[in-house]
Amino acid sequence: MGCKVFELLFWVSSVLCLACFARAFTPADNYLIDCGSPTNTTVGGRLFMADILASKLLSAPKNVIGNTSKAVTSSDDSPLYQTARIFTGVSKYAFSISQRGRHWIRLYFYPFVYASYDMNLAKFAVSTENHVLLSSFSVQAPLVKEFSVDVTTNSLAITFSPSENSFAFINALEVVSVPDQLIPDGAKSVKSSVGFQGLMWQALETVARVNMGGPTVSVENDTLWRTWVPDQHFLVENNLALSISNTRAVNYVAGGSTQEIAPNSVYGTCTRMNSLSDPNSNFNVTWVFDVDPGFQYLLRFHFCDIVSNALNQLYFNVFIDSSMVVQDLDLSTLFNVLAAAYYMDFVTESAASNKLRVSIGPSDLRGTYPDAILNGLEIMKMNNSDGSLTGLGTVNTSGSSSKKKVSAIVGVSVGVVSGVLLAGVLFMFCRKRKRLARHRQSKTWIPISINGGTSHTMGSKYSKGTTASLNSNTGYRIPFLAVQEATNNFDESWVIGIGGFGKVYKGELNDGTKVAVKRGNPWSQQGLAEFQTEIEMLSQFRHRHLVSLIGYCDEKNEMILIYEYMENGTLKSHLYGSGHPSLSWKQRLEICVGAARGLHYLHTGYAKAVIHRDVKSANILLDENLMAKVADFGLSKTGPEIDQTHVSTAVKGSFGYLDPEYFRRQQLTEKSDVYSFGVVLLEVLCARPVIDPTLPREMVNLAEWAMKWQKRGQLEQIIDPNLTGDIRPNSLRKFGETAEKCLADIGVNRPSMGDVLWNLEYALQLQEAVVRGDPEENSTNMIGELSPQIKNFSELDPTAFSAQFEVSSVDDLSGVSMSKVFSQLLKSEGR
Ligand SMILES: *[C@@H]1O[C@H](CO)[C@@H](O)[C@H](O)[C@H]1NC(C)=O
Ligand SMILES: *[C@@H]1O[C@H](CO)[C@@H](O)[C@H](O)[C@H]1NC(C)=O
Ligand SMILES: *[C@@H]1O[C@H](CO)[C@@H](O)[C@H](O)[C@H]1NC(C)=O
Ligand SMILES: *[C@@H]1O[C@H](CO)[C@@H](O)[C@H](O)[C@H]1NC(C)=O
Ligand SMILES: *[C@@H]1O[C@H](CO)[C@@H](O)[C@H](O)[C@H]1NC(C)=O
Ligand SMILES: *[C@@H]1O[C@H](CO)[C@@H](O)[C@H](O)[C@H]1NC(C)=O
């Protein structure tokens, strides 16, 4: 049974993978300038514009002191290196930015001698408005410097400032948009269990970009015009490593990495521990990189298990300097497929030395073969607290007003320079610095649990360190005998569901109360933590829209949970596949509103936010009146804080619903639930499974497919045919917008559950009543004639709005009815 699931997932991901080849990123801003060149130059299929076309971007007066005619050069040289622009005073390129966000800045340097200017002697600084990129910079060998900065206005200025009595130069320049998802806002920290936040605002300089075990991947062959260099130069002991290549195996899986994050020529090769001849091998494979002390670095590890031929074969550890950052990593548990492309980001502390070591080594787990792989590695320097990427400069905000600005365009012969390999020298530029030896104490941090997931739920379900105590809840304990009686001795014909945890039986207590009895597999240690979590959560949280726990039984090693019986089963079964009559749009909206209320209460109704972590249509149950209640709290956790003390933060949740950001960073927030709920909304609208491998490939993943239509403004094309004619266009529009916001790539851009609730209420109002005013105008915030309780929330003060919700949550508490049920139970069971 487990195998079938793996096969299915494998198949699904292969299909998804095919779908992602079709996409190619088109940068909104794409300035490529061949400085000093009289003509356009095409390199790697990209057109670098002639200097004259770019000169309007330059704010310096152009004092042209050289001519721009090209000399004959060796064919090995990049055509971009034949000309340069020389700046003898502070000069500024001002680019107008059409789409804010992260942009590459690539600076090409190729020093040569023109007239009295020996560019090997040039010394200068380069800065943007907010960041110093280079200072006291001089260059004696061909070099491309790559930076990326977040642009928050509609312009970006790049300023060249010559040092005293010197000049600046540049051969070519790129300012190009970067896809938003390339650098997410958060990453893990090497030394602390609290992740790093705020990467979005960091200026980054590429220090190394390495294709482990493979050849150079050049600009032409990279999805974002990056260069990846081979790893041999960085390896400490070449004989400890093997190079492996299997590019065709690479799977791009939803929630994992993408072609843009790294192409399959990177994921399809790896450097592997050379242990095949000796099963007792015990060593690390280590690479060393030159870094500047005093700066923090972002390390991105690219993994793709192209060496295993079965799941759960490869376990290894990953180190940054002396810190173990991942222990017993089993890549196959992340997606339950082999060769899924995946990456992990870590932010280091301020570097104490001028060397950064990265190692992989075998796991200590008994019964595993010593082995380890790494497919790619990127090291990016982060700006310091002055916003600078260099130790010397600070941003000069006093501007460039009074200085005399002079620039020169030159062309020159570079004929005899021997074959310059752009890529090979790209990141070799290193400064020798005094070694600051400071020993750091080692502390390990283990983000990934080794327990393999089976069933429909992904990843390990067992969290070490769960502190749930049953003692405070002994009042809910029900004798095993009573449970046996209630379920006709676990009559197989009374089974109403089977989940990852075990079977669910229908039952009836002595007093006639109908119950659902969930019986965990008694031999499953994995379920214990979930069992405890669920009892703990449900005995604390009482809400009309959360399924109520009536009691539990832990006699004889049993793990049995007894819930109120939900007459109408799961929301999912009413949407597709079960032959239930189709629900009306109004009914569906009411169900969504109810479920949103339950989740909103979980997120806000208690001192610490509770994150459900497994929101899906199968976990939203319907009572006899089709009122929605959120169920299955086995994976729930309180707020982000709790992860600081927990050892395991393995990714949990269900395939197709999983927040891509959580998947990558394994950092949990309420917004992960919001994402999953967004998927549920689409399920409700389209009445189809979230992953359906039988469909044409662009339709397999519901969230991706529906968002395509939503972005085109044609969501109505794909709604459940049963709803045609039933949905008012405005209600659909509001609903579609709400789902879209929930599915924002980045958590901070998603609405809170309270906002979602409010938007769904509004969609319901739009369906039920005629809203006055032009709905096109007021689709986001303003509302016209609504029911009184909605109107209360509409006062423009957002704090009043959330306060209203708090009150409404408290009103929703149904603890009274619960204790009634419970006292009946006590009476009838005579305890
Ligand atoms: C150079 O490229 C620009 C577009 O970037 C184009 O408008 C211009 O005509 C080209 N000039 C030449 C000489 O090809
Ligand atoms: C630069 O221009 C001068 C005259 O202005 C000319 O004599 C010289 O040949 C040119 N240089 C090249 C490399 O074409
Ligand atoms: C790009 O990759 C293909 C296939 O691996 C290879 O044949 C080609 O030479 C590469 N192109 C460049 C410019 O590296
Ligand atoms: C691998 O490197 C780490 C960090 O430097 C070290 O603690 C560990 O002992 C090494 N393992 C082996 C087998 O050498
Ligand atoms: C980098 O610069 C930004 C301002 O642009 C600042 O907010 C951030 O804290 C800096 N990063 C570090 C690590 O100091
Ligand atoms: C900043 O710019 C002003 C005016 O251009 C100049 O006088 C000053 O020396 C500059 N400071 C630095 C640190 O470059």
Side-chain angles (χ1 to χ4, degrees):
M1 144 97 194
C3 273
K4 282 225 181 77
V5 174
F6 294 158
E7 271 165 32
L8 175 68
L9 289 179
F10 184 80
W11 201 81
V12 167
S13 56
S14 312
V15 171
L16 292 176
C17 170
L18 287 174
C20 48
F21 280 113
R23 268 205 317 266
F25 174 67
T26 313
D29 296 304
N30 194 30
Y31 293 97
L32 311 175
I33 305 173
D34 186 0
C35 302
S37 169
T39 57
N40 289 342
T41 308
T42 301
V43 177
R46 297 201 298 162
L47 189 141
F48 283 72
M49 61 179 151
D51 192 292
I52 187 77
L53 297 173
S55 60
K56 61 178 186 291
L57 303 170
L58 254 182
S59 64
K62 274 135 272 175
N63 183 1
V64 179
I65 57 165
N67 58 19
T68 59
S69 47
K70 280 190 191 175
V72 180
T73 59
S74 148
S75 59
D76 287 338
D77 289 326
S78 165
L80 296 174
Y81 288 153
Q82 292 173 355
T83 56
R85 184 180 268 272
I86 291 174
F87 305 106
T88 57
V90 176
S91 304
K92 184 164 85 178
Y93 280 99
F95 298 95
S96 92
I97 297 299
S98 63
Q99 192 174 313
R100 296 172 192 197
R102 188 166 287 276
H103 286 66
W104 300 119
I105 298 175
R106 295 194 179 105
L107 307 174
Y108 295 67
F109 298 106
Y110 186 101
F112 56 82
V113 181
Y114 173 78
S116 60
Y117 297 98
D118 180 352
M119 294 174 211
N120 292 290
L121 303 176
K123 196 170 174 198
F124 55 98
V126 182
S127 58
T128 66
E129 288 95 330
N130 301 317
H131 302 287
V132 177
L133 306 179
L134 299 169
S135 61
S136 294
F137 177 70
S138 59
V139 52
Q140 281 80 39
L143 180 70
V144 177
K145 281 278 188 184
E146 182 185 273
F147 304 89
S148 70
V149 298
D150 183 49
V151 182
T152 53
T153 62
N154 51 13
S155 71
L156 171 68
I158 299 180
T159 304
F160 290 79
S161 316
S163 298
E164 198 77 28
N165 298 324
S166 190
F167 63 95
F169 78 98
I170 181 90
N171 301 78
L173 177 60
E174 290 184 23
V175 172
V176 180
S177 302
V178 172
D180 287 339
Q181 66 282 14
L182 189 71
I183 306 289
D185 194 50
K188 293 164 199 155
S189 295
V190 171
K191 289 278 178 175
S192 143
S193 57
V194 187
F196 183 92
Q197 292 292 329
L199 274 183
M200 214 106 94
W201 329 122
Q202 290 292 314
L204 300 172
E205 175 184 348
T206 308
V207 174
R209 181 177 292 128
V210 188
N211 180 20
M212 298 290 173
T216 297
V217 176
S218 55
V219 174
E220 298 88 318
N221 277 2
D222 182 74
T223 41
L224 297 176
W225 309 283
R226 293 160 298 198
T227 302
W228 303 74
V229 301
D231 65 322
Q232 280 80 10
H233 300 294
F234 305 104
L235 264 176
V236 174
E237 284 187 80
N238 275 282
N239 59 328
L240 298 183
L242 296 173
S243 292
I244 308 287
S245 172
N246 187 4
T247 348
R248 275 180 308 168
V250 179
N251 270 320
Y252 287 95
V253 189
S257 191
T258 65
Q259 284 267 1
E260 276 152 19
I261 287 162
N264 52 357
S265 41
V266 171
Y267 283 115
T269 66
C270 70
T271 291
R272 180 182 195 178
M273 182 181 173
N274 185 2
S275 59
L276 298 185
S277 55
D278 179 7
N280 295 316
S281 301
N282 189 19
F283 56 82
N284 291 333
V285 177
T286 300
W287 298 263
V288 175
F289 301 89
D290 290 308
V291 294
D292 284 337
F295 287 88
Q296 288 182 276
Y297 289 84
L298 169 64
L299 272 69
R300 174 166 291 180
F301 291 84
H302 297 276
F303 293 110
C304 182
D305 182 358
I306 55 170
V307 303
S308 295
N309 41 34
L311 299 174
N312 311 113
Q313 236 178 29
L314 171 66
Y315 296 85
F316 61 101
N317 299 334
V318 182
F319 307 87
I320 296 174
D321 288 326
S322 55
S323 300
M324 188 189 289
V325 292
V326 194
Q327 184 170 37
D328 305 328
L329 176 59
D330 176 1
L331 294 164
S332 67
T333 59
L334 298 172
F335 303 91
N336 284 335
V337 296
L338 281 178
Y342 185 68
Y343 75 89
M344 284 184 203
D345 286 346
F346 292 94
V347 170
T348 66
E349 293 198 316
S350 207
S353 125
N354 60 355
K355 299 285 179 208
L356 181 81
R357 297 166 67 87
V358 168
S359 309
I360 52 171
S363 155
D364 293 330
L365 286 177
R366 258 180 300 142
T368 59
Y369 195 91
D371 201 349
I373 62 164
L374 183 58
N375 303 65
L377 178 68
E378 291 173 272
I379 302 182
M380 287 165 265
K381 187 188 201 179
M382 294 164 50
N383 67 257
N384 63 19
S385 52
D386 298 332
S388 175
L389 280 161
T390 78
L392 300 163
T394 51
V395 176
N396 194 342
T397 48
S398 50
S400 53
S401 48
S402 60
K403 278 226 173 147
K404 200 175 149 211
K405 290 153 278 187
V406 195
S407 71
I409 302 175
V410 297
V412 80
S413 159
V414 285
V416 289
V417 179
S418 59
V420 176
L421 261 179
L422 169 61
V425 295
L426 238 188
F427 304 113
M428 299 299 186
F429 185 76
C430 52
R431 274 159 279 185
K432 303 262 183 294
R433 294 261 171 117
K434 200 173 141 219
R435 191 189 176 94
L436 303 171
R438 180 153 59 88
H439 216 74
R440 302 196 233 164
Q441 84 265 37
S442 85
K443 180 185 156 204
T444 59
W445 185 74
I446 309 155
I448 295 198
S449 146
I450 56 156
N451 300 286
T454 51
S455 86
H456 64 292
T457 301
M458 302 181 53
S460 157
K461 292 178 151 202
Y462 178 56
S463 296
K464 286 174 234 164
T466 298
T467 52
S469 150
L470 301 188
N471 296 341
S472 55
N473 309 307
T474 41
Y476 289 91
R477 192 174 271 151
I478 294 177
F480 185 68
L481 214 64
V483 183
Q484 262 181 317
E485 238 170 75
T487 57
N488 199 21
N489 197 17
F490 301 103
D491 189 332
E492 283 298 307
S493 66
W494 290 27
V495 171
I496 52 173
I498 299 177
F501 179 88
K503 286 179 182 165
V504 184
Y505 299 81
K506 188 179 169 163
E508 196 173 322
L509 298 178
N510 271 355
D511 65 349
T513 312
K514 281 184 172 174
V515 291
V517 174
K518 189 156 113 178
R519 186 188 198 191
N521 297 328
W523 58 88
S524 145
Q525 264 306 299
Q526 291 210 352
L528 182 61
E530 279 175 47
F531 178 68
Q532 293 174 333
T533 306
E534 180 127 17
I535 293 169
E536 195 184 35
M537 293 292 170
L538 280 177
S539 46
Q540 285 177 52
F541 293 93
R542 297 270 165 236
H543 191 273
R544 201 145 47 93
H545 293 286
L546 301 181
V547 124
S548 301
L549 184 70
I550 290 176
Y552 69 90
C553 169
D554 58 356
E555 272 172 43
K556 304 181 177 169
N557 283 332
E558 288 281 353
M559 292 186 288
I560 297 171
L561 295 163
I562 297 136
Y563 305 89
E564 62 177 320
Y565 182 69
M566 298 291 283
E567 198 74 47
N568 273 307
T570 68
L571 167 59
K572 186 176 181 171
S573 70
H574 287 266
L575 294 174
Y576 49 86
S578 304
H580 284 297
S582 173
L583 297 170
S584 73
W585 182 236
K586 178 164 177 269
Q587 285 173 317
R588 296 186 203 198
L589 279 173
E590 280 165 350
I591 289 166
C592 292
V593 166
R597 238 184 244 291
L599 289 170
H600 173 63
Y601 173 71
L602 270 187
H603 290 177
T604 59
Y606 184 59
K608 261 192 220 145
V610 170
I611 303 162
H612 185 284
R613 292 220 285 179
D614 202 9
V615 175
K616 54 184 177 181
S617 59
N619 281 342
I620 295 170
L621 302 182
L622 305 175
D623 73 3
E624 65 277 17
N625 302 315
L626 291 177
M627 187 169 85
K629 299 195 183 202
V630 179
D632 209 340
F633 294 78
L635 297 178
S636 310
K637 273 198 176 186
T638 48
E641 310 93 284
I642 202 162
D643 273 3
Q644 294 170 21
T645 53
H646 276 221
V647 181
S648 162
T649 52
V651 171
K652 295 162 196 205
S654 294
F655 201 67
Y657 292 93
L658 213 50
D659 169 11
E661 196 183 31
Y662 167 46
F663 207 91
R664 260 195 306 280
R665 290 163 39 205
Q666 295 170 37
Q667 206 166 48
L668 202 58
T669 73
E670 299 95 303
K671 297 298 179 70
S672 305
D673 283 352
V674 174
Y675 182 92
S676 308
F677 191 69
V679 180
V680 171
L681 294 182
L682 294 176
E683 224 178 333
V684 166
L685 183 67
C686 304
R688 53 152 281 191
V690 294
I691 299 285
D692 186 346
T694 64
L695 291 171
R697 64 172 179 248
E698 72 277 8
M699 299 171 63
V700 168
N701 183 320
L702 171 63
E704 274 177 27
W705 181 61
M707 278 308 105
K708 245 176 239 168
W709 289 95
Q710 165 67 11
K711 293 207 165 96
R712 275 186 230 156
Q714 299 182 326
L715 195 59
E716 72 279 2
Q717 301 280 338
I718 59 161
I719 63 172
D720 180 0
N722 291 316
L723 292 175
T724 316
D726 182 19
I727 307 190
R728 288 181 186 234
N730 287 335
S731 177
L732 173 61
R733 188 164 45 78
K734 189 81 222 161
F735 190 85
E737 283 169 11
T738 309
E740 184 178 8
K741 285 182 196 147
C742 291
L743 294 175
D745 272 338
I746 297 167
V748 291
N749 296 338
R750 294 175 204 145
S752 69
M753 215 55 225
D755 291 339
V756 174
L757 171 57
W758 145 241
N759 278 288
L760 291 172
E761 293 263 22
Y762 188 40
L764 182 58
Q765 291 291 327
L766 287 168
Q767 178 69 15
E768 285 188 310
V770 179
V771 177
R772 229 194 280 149
D774 179 8
E776 293 300 326
E777 295 298 308
N778 59 23
S779 78
T780 42
N781 264 324
M782 311 249 304
I783 49 171
E785 286 296 308
L786 295 176
S787 68
Q789 74 265 38
I790 291 291
K791 216 167 177 177
N792 284 342
F793 300 149
S794 73
E795 308 304 331
L796 287 169
D797 179 3
T799 55
F801 178 56
S802 60
Q804 287 281 1
F805 265 109
E806 297 300 345
V807 172
S808 113
S809 301
V810 173
D811 284 347
D812 268 344
L813 285 172
S814 53
V816 180
S817 67
M818 261 315 297
S819 54
K820 207 173 97 214
V821 173
F822 182 53
S823 67
Q824 279 174 354
L825 199 82
L826 281 183
K827 247 187 321 199
S828 59
E829 303 306 339
R831 270 185 66 102

